[in-house]
Amino acid sequence: MGNDITVKSYKVESRITSRFAHTTVKSSVVNSGSGAQTIGFNVQIPKRAFITNFTMNVNGITFIGSVKEKTVARNLYAQARARGKAAGIVRANSLDMETFKTEVHVPASSKVEFELHYQEMMERKLGFYQHTLHIQPGRLVPHLQVDVYIFEPKGIRAVETPNTLGEHFEGITKVVQNKDKVHIVFKPTLQQQRKCNNCTESAVDGVFTVRYDVERESNVSDGHFVHFFAPKELSPLSKNIVFVIDVSGSMWGLKMKQTVSAMEAILDDLTMDDYFSIIDFNHNVRCWSEELVPGTSIQISEAKNYIKNIKPNGGTNINEALLRAVQMLLKASIQGLIDPRSVSMIILVSDGDPTVGEIKLSSIQKNVKRLMREEFSLFSLGIGFDVDYDFLERLALDNRGMAQRIYANHDAAEQLKTFYSQVSSPLLRKITVQFPEDSVTDVTQNHFDKFFKGSELVVAGKLKDNITYFNDITLLEAESDLQEMDTWLSQHEHSFSGFARQMWAYITINQLLAQRSLAPTAAKKRRITQAILNLAVDHQFVTPLTALLVQSEDAQERLLADSPRDPKQGCCSGLPSHSDFWICPAVENDPHFIVHLPKNKMDVCFNIDSEPGHILNLVSDPGTGVVINGQLIGSKRVVNHKRNTYFGTISVSYKPEEVRVDVGTNGIDVKDGKNHHSFSWGATVTLTMKGVKVSILKDSEVNVTVDDKISLMVLLHRVWKKHPVNVDFLGFYSPSNNQYSTQVHGLIGQFANEPEVKVFNLHEGSDPKKKEANMKVKGNKLSVTRGWQKDYRSDKNKGSEVYCWFIHNSGKGFIDGHYTNYIVPSLDSFLPQL
């Protein structure tokens, strides 16, 4: 992680056999510095992949992984942690990837070797399988190589290697191919890796992509079979679509703009044989057309004009909107408007939980399922993290559809369009894949509601002993031919043996996980859970119910790789998480200020040791008319001769429009001139007034945006009501790209104009875990300590550690003046000039 870390080698190898990929990432790293330091290993893997193993060798001591039931792994890990012999492996979510991250603190000259294995099944979308590898070595590497081996027994139809790493690497990837095998190599030299001729930074940081398609076939290995079904030259069936679009206040801004952009392209894709309508909803439900209409150019033009004029506001009535959509399809069916051979679907686009009408999620699920016909499907698209994605997924799976999370960023429109393109060309309905009687067992799903163009149906299972396999192309005698094929695969460098067995388990576990989420009773859920556990442990897959325990050979030191947390919501939608100012009030201490300085590439922390009742100015900007203040509250009693303080109220005032938002631990007050609105933390509400948007997420957070230029988030922390000391408190987060005026000041506002900071004279401190140094800032020379504080945005309970340089004495020398200069008389007071 430091400049004197040397990466000796970084190698990625994928072996894909009949659409099933086994990927290995290896890295050899040396601490070439003069002292002990931390070495990190970060790998991004696809979310659909199952980790199968992780090993680590530190100076000859090997740590070996094994998949265990989650409770068992956690207990063993806890035992090691109690002895001080444990470390965590962090797994976090992003777009379509998951980050696997571990760190190890080692002495000088140490050598560490990391090796991660994961497996996944390739999904065919829009006519191709796409295999992506995130290549991020972090620095120049003498031996950097990516190998992708593909083996498809019945032939490879097409291979593409688009240069997704950038123009810098044009022409470096090599492809060797014959009828059934492909070897793809990416092996840049040390010089080719450099960002420029004399640069010491690596240009290798991105996605390596391989796209391919195959001839169709079945495959057999290790007594298991996999059958692939993707017919060609079928004409698309006509479709009947009701688009159900959330237009509540939380969709205001970029989300709505991207949704409208996507809908315009989607509407253009409709044909005259297709029927459609649009329902938009907030606290009310509106229909663009009460009946399905054909996709003529006139109707499409009118529909586009309608969605362009939507103004998001109000609450979210998902239940009534979906029931109205089902009723519209039912009416069209009864009236004979729907071709019996056509496909009828509802596509729901939403970014939040229900707040109006029926808000109980299980009741909404039951209401929709009760009204839906078997020939109708529901597809759910959840925008951002404010939405309960698990609910949307259950809703879709319960009604023969699927769900997808859409990330609320600049390419949300492309994500929406890509999803639609995958379901826009249905080719078949009600498909059943049948096998000869008494020939197979343990067959995965073989009944499918729909088949879409460019996709593929996959069925796997076990072959019974002493039978002749039923493939139309090849007959295999079970005993002799299966053994011969497995032996051949084990010797074949383009493949790995046992792939069919692993692929069958992979498909079965994913289908059981889907069934588990829809289990009607606790008893059935327990049975499914046990089946998943048995398969996952037997096949060594890290799933949501299992964990990877990595331990040294003597079992004394342990690491734990648990399933990643997929949060329902994230911080500050649309705001960059890499360059924030934030205040994190920890439960144990006074308000912790953490200031990220992007130009200096560091975080600086300080505490404010003040008194309950004091109001501290955080941001004071006469130029924009914005002032943000926080009032302190105290703990219930004095501990160690000190009463801890926390933020109990955060107030945001926008003076030009006389709007004020007071966020407290008991509720939220919004004042608009003479109007006064009060909300409890039990509501999810969005309202916009005079350039100020306020979004309240139930029992969690409040986001405030002023004039599209200044944004902040207030996070609610609840504690046990009977706790003898601690009280409920608030955290405040604000991004550094807020567009303040040049007059901005305050404890946090002053750092909008980032000062130059220099850290030098790094040395050991009184605490061996915390380095000490000197800092030069604003003409002052300070003594600082390397430590960490908590950021509670992604995990409200435990928080995540942020390493920073800690300024002592309430930030003296780092902030302008003394902290008492920032105490103001009222919650809407500007800061007097210092």
Side-chain angles (χ1 to χ4, degrees):
M1 300 179 75
N3 292 327
D4 43 8
I5 295 292
T6 303
V7 181
K8 293 290 188 181
S9 67
Y10 186 92
K11 297 181 179 180
V12 181
E13 178 185 283
S14 284
R15 296 182 181 273
I16 305 172
T17 304
S18 293
R19 289 71 138 192
F20 197 67
H22 182 116
T23 300
T24 305
V25 183
K26 297 180 182 180
S27 184
S28 178
V29 187
V30 174
N31 176 5
S32 49
S34 58
Q37 58 182 321
T38 299
I39 293 178
F41 178 68
N42 297 2
V43 180
Q44 287 193 338
I45 67 174
K47 280 188 178 179
R48 287 179 52 84
F50 286 153
I51 291 173
T52 57
N53 204 354
F54 173 70
T55 61
M56 183 172 68
N57 187 293
V58 183
N59 294 327
I61 300 174
T62 302
F63 292 76
I64 300 172
S66 61
V67 176
K68 300 181 182 297
E69 183 179 341
K70 184 170 287 190
T71 53
V72 173
R74 284 179 173 173
N75 288 337
L76 290 170
Y77 176 72
Q79 293 172 17
R81 186 172 57 191
R83 299 194 304 270
K85 296 287 188 178
I89 294 177
V90 179
R91 295 173 63 195
N93 282 308
S94 60
L95 186 55
D96 294 317
M97 309 298 289
E98 166 198 314
T99 301
F100 176 97
K101 178 169 67 175
T102 188
E103 296 177 356
V104 56
H105 196 73
V106 295
S109 303
S110 294
K111 181 180 180 181
V112 185
E113 294 178 342
F114 302 98
E115 185 171 320
L116 176 70
H117 297 255
Y118 62 88
Q119 295 180 350
E120 62 176 319
M121 187 177 79
M122 301 290 96
E123 277 192 307
R124 191 170 187 258
K125 295 180 178 180
L126 304 178
F128 277 89
Y129 306 94
Q130 181 163 297
H131 186 54
T132 56
L133 299 168
H134 275 249
I135 313 301
Q136 298 167 307
R139 59 201 64 211
L140 298 174
V141 183
H143 303 286
L144 189 154
Q145 184 165 339
V146 179
D147 290 282
V148 178
Y149 297 93
I150 304 173
F151 173 62
E152 295 290 347
K154 294 299 181 290
I156 297 171
R157 187 180 63 81
V159 178
E160 297 177 2
T161 55
N163 182 20
T164 48
L165 283 171
E167 294 180 1
H168 190 89
F169 299 104
E170 193 69 46
I172 293 179
T173 301
K174 306 299 181 187
V175 180
V176 179
Q177 178 183 0
N178 61 23
K179 179 178 177 295
D180 56 6
K181 295 185 288 291
V182 176
H183 180 199
I184 299 153
V185 184
F186 174 72
K187 190 179 180 182
T189 64
L190 202 62
Q191 187 60 33
Q192 288 172 331
Q193 295 173 42
R194 299 181 191 273
K195 281 191 173 180
C196 63
N197 286 336
N198 299 318
C199 289
T200 57
E201 293 183 352
S202 174
V204 183
D205 183 5
V207 179
F208 184 80
T209 304
V210 176
R211 300 176 72 239
Y212 74 99
D213 198 21
V214 303
E215 306 295 347
R216 311 261 77 78
E217 89 288 351
S218 299
N219 283 308
V220 182
S221 169
D222 195 24
H224 293 70
F225 73 89
V226 185
H227 184 76
F228 305 95
F229 180 70
K232 304 176 184 177
E233 299 176 1
L234 295 175
S235 299
L237 302 173
S238 58
K239 52 191 178 291
N240 317 293
I241 307 179
V242 181
F243 298 98
V244 182
I245 303 173
D246 183 347
V247 296
S248 61
S250 56
M251 286 287 288
W252 178 81
L254 181 62
K255 290 180 184 177
M256 196 67 227
K257 182 180 178 181
Q258 297 277 24
T259 301
V260 170
S261 174
M263 281 300 301
E264 288 180 316
I266 288 169
L267 290 171
D268 282 334
D269 187 67
L270 297 174
T271 70
M272 291 185 64
D273 294 327
D274 299 325
Y275 282 75
F276 78 103
S277 188
I278 299 170
I279 293 176
D280 62 289
F281 68 97
N282 44 30
H283 49 283
N284 296 315
V285 177
R286 299 189 305 168
C287 298
W288 165 67
S289 170
E290 294 289 343
E291 297 181 345
L292 294 180
V293 299
T296 63
S297 58
I298 294 175
Q299 301 284 15
I300 289 171
S301 177
E302 291 180 0
K304 285 182 180 180
N305 289 332
Y306 178 80
I307 61 173
K308 284 179 183 177
N309 293 314
I310 292 174
K311 305 295 182 187
N313 65 85
T316 309
N317 192 344
I318 291 179
N319 184 70
E320 186 180 341
L322 287 176
L323 295 184
R324 190 82 65 86
V326 179
Q327 289 163 353
M328 190 178 291
L329 289 175
L330 286 171
K331 182 180 178 181
S333 179
I334 292 170
Q335 292 178 343
L337 291 176
I338 292 179
D339 185 334
R341 296 168 299 174
S342 65
V343 170
S344 298
M345 62 181 80
I346 296 167
I347 297 181
L348 168 67
V349 180
S350 180
D351 79 329
D353 289 349
T355 62
V356 179
E358 178 59 73
I359 61 173
K360 189 176 180 182
L361 303 184
S362 59
S363 296
I364 297 174
Q365 193 176 337
K366 289 176 183 176
N367 292 344
V368 174
K369 186 173 183 180
R370 183 168 55 245
L371 202 58
M372 286 279 278
R373 282 189 178 179
E374 279 195 7
E375 60 266 32
F376 300 164
S377 294
L378 172 62
F379 296 91
S380 303
L381 297 171
I383 300 181
F385 281 98
D386 296 344
V387 68
D388 190 326
Y389 182 73
D390 286 343
F391 163 64
L392 290 185
E393 188 171 46
R394 289 195 303 272
L395 202 59
L397 293 174
D398 218 12
N399 295 284
R400 297 160 296 282
M402 58 183 175
Q404 183 166 315
R405 191 190 293 282
I406 302 297
Y407 290 77
N409 54 30
H410 65 281
D411 71 342
E414 286 302 317
Q415 296 175 54
L416 287 164
K417 287 186 283 186
T418 298
F419 177 86
Y420 175 76
S421 66
Q422 294 168 17
V423 300
S424 62
S425 296
L427 301 180
L428 294 171
R429 292 179 53 214
K430 303 296 181 186
I431 308 105
T432 300
V433 181
Q434 295 181 331
F435 302 96
E437 190 175 352
D438 295 327
S439 62
V440 298
T441 63
D442 298 286
V443 176
T444 60
Q445 177 186 351
N446 64 330
H447 299 281
F448 302 92
D449 189 67
K450 295 174 184 67
F451 171 73
F452 295 99
K453 183 179 179 180
S455 65
E456 182 175 63
L457 303 180
V458 183
V459 181
K462 297 179 180 178
L463 290 173
K464 285 192 173 181
D465 293 337
N466 301 314
I467 61 101
T468 301
Y469 190 47
F470 41 81
N471 191 346
D472 292 337
I473 303 171
T474 308
L475 293 176
L476 294 174
E477 294 295 333
E479 298 261 344
S480 59
D481 284 352
L482 291 181
Q483 291 177 3
E484 182 180 343
M485 185 174 187
D486 278 338
T487 301
W488 184 78
L489 284 173
S490 66
Q491 299 170 350
H492 206 289
E493 68 170 359
H494 284 69
S495 61
F496 65 97
S497 59
F499 77 90
R501 177 178 181 271
Q502 289 295 95
M503 195 171 189
W504 166 78
Y506 176 97
I507 297 170
T508 303
I509 289 171
N510 276 299
Q511 291 177 359
L512 286 171
L513 286 170
Q515 292 174 25
R516 183 175 182 269
S517 69
L518 298 174
T521 65
K524 185 169 184 180
K525 188 171 186 176
R526 284 194 298 271
R527 288 195 297 272
I528 296 172
T529 299
Q530 192 57 52
I532 295 170
L533 286 172
N534 292 341
L535 274 174
V537 173
D538 186 34
H539 293 263
Q540 291 291 285
F541 284 143
V542 179
T543 70
L545 304 179
T546 53
L548 181 70
L549 187 72
V550 184
Q551 56 187 356
S552 58
E553 292 170 330
D554 60 5
Q556 292 300 303
E557 297 187 57
R558 291 174 176 148
L559 300 89
L560 181 70
D562 217 333
S563 292
R565 181 175 177 268
D566 191 3
K568 173 183 162 184
Q569 69 278 339
C571 165
C572 315
S573 177
L575 305 179
S577 61
H578 60 278
S579 56
D580 297 343
F581 301 134
W582 59 87
I583 304 172
C584 304
V587 174
E588 304 84 11
N589 212 326
D590 299 299
H592 300 316
F593 288 71
I594 309 174
V595 180
H596 180 67
L597 303 175
K599 294 179 182 177
N600 292 277
K601 298 181 179 179
M602 69 174 69
D603 296 306
V604 177
C605 309
F606 59 93
N607 295 346
I608 294 295
D609 186 10
S610 193
E611 299 294 328
H614 281 174
I615 300 172
L616 298 177
N617 175 256
L618 306 176
V619 176
S620 178
D621 187 9
T624 61
V626 172
V627 60
I628 304 172
N629 293 321
Q631 186 166 28
L632 299 176
I633 55 174
S635 57
K636 294 176 183 176
R637 62 182 176 88
V638 174
V639 178
N640 296 328
H641 310 290
K642 185 178 184 304
R643 186 180 297 276
N644 291 336
T645 55
Y646 320 91
F647 280 109
T649 304
I650 300 291
S651 178
V652 183
S653 297
Y654 185 38
K655 298 291 187 175
E657 298 291 349
E658 297 184 336
V659 177
R660 175 171 156 182
V661 182
D662 291 345
V663 182
T665 55
N666 295 321
I668 302 97
D669 290 328
V670 181
K671 299 173 184 176
D672 171 15
K674 296 181 180 180
N675 299 317
H676 185 185
H677 312 275
S678 294
F679 303 94
S680 73
W681 278 102
T684 295
V685 178
T686 298
L687 63 158
T688 303
M689 58 190 74
K690 297 180 179 179
V692 179
K693 179 187 176 186
V694 182
S695 297
I696 305 169
L697 183 62
K698 181 180 177 181
D699 294 328
S700 182
E701 66 190 52
V702 175
N703 286 279
V704 180
T705 304
V706 179
D707 199 26
D708 284 337
K709 295 178 180 178
I710 298 170
S711 302
L712 62 100
M713 182 182 78
V714 179
L715 195 64
L716 173 67
H717 294 269
R718 293 286 194 204
V719 299
W720 180 42
K721 290 183 178 179
K722 296 182 180 180
H723 196 287
V725 178
N726 298 330
V727 294
D728 295 345
F729 62 93
L730 303 173
F732 167 84
Y733 302 83
S734 177
S736 61
N737 65 342
N738 276 343
Q739 299 175 41
Y740 296 115
S741 76
T742 56
Q743 303 174 50
V744 67
H745 209 275
L747 280 169
I748 288 296
Q750 62 188 287
F751 298 105
N753 300 309
E754 184 176 333
E756 184 178 347
V757 179
K758 183 180 180 181
V759 177
F760 58 98
N761 189 26
L762 181 66
H763 56 273
E764 297 291 337
S766 56
D767 185 342
K769 294 182 180 179
K770 297 181 179 179
K771 300 277 189 181
E772 293 185 355
N774 294 116
M775 176 183 288
K776 187 173 182 180
V777 57
K778 297 182 177 180
N780 301 313
K781 182 181 177 181
L782 311 176
S783 295
V784 295
T785 303
R786 185 67 168 166
W788 56 86
Q789 301 288 13
K790 293 283 190 179
D791 175 359
Y792 290 93
R793 287 174 297 176
S794 59
D795 187 337
K796 284 178 56 180
N797 297 319
K798 298 179 181 178
S800 58
E801 290 182 348
V802 176
Y803 287 88
C804 59
W805 287 109
F806 185 78
I807 311 292
H808 303 277
N809 302 320
S810 294
K812 185 178 180 181
F814 183 66
I815 62 173
D816 295 335
H818 192 269
Y819 87 86
T820 55
N821 298 134
Y822 297 86
I823 298 174
V824 293
S826 63
L827 282 170
D828 62 351
S829 296
F830 279 101
L831 180 69
Q833 189 172 359
L834 296 183

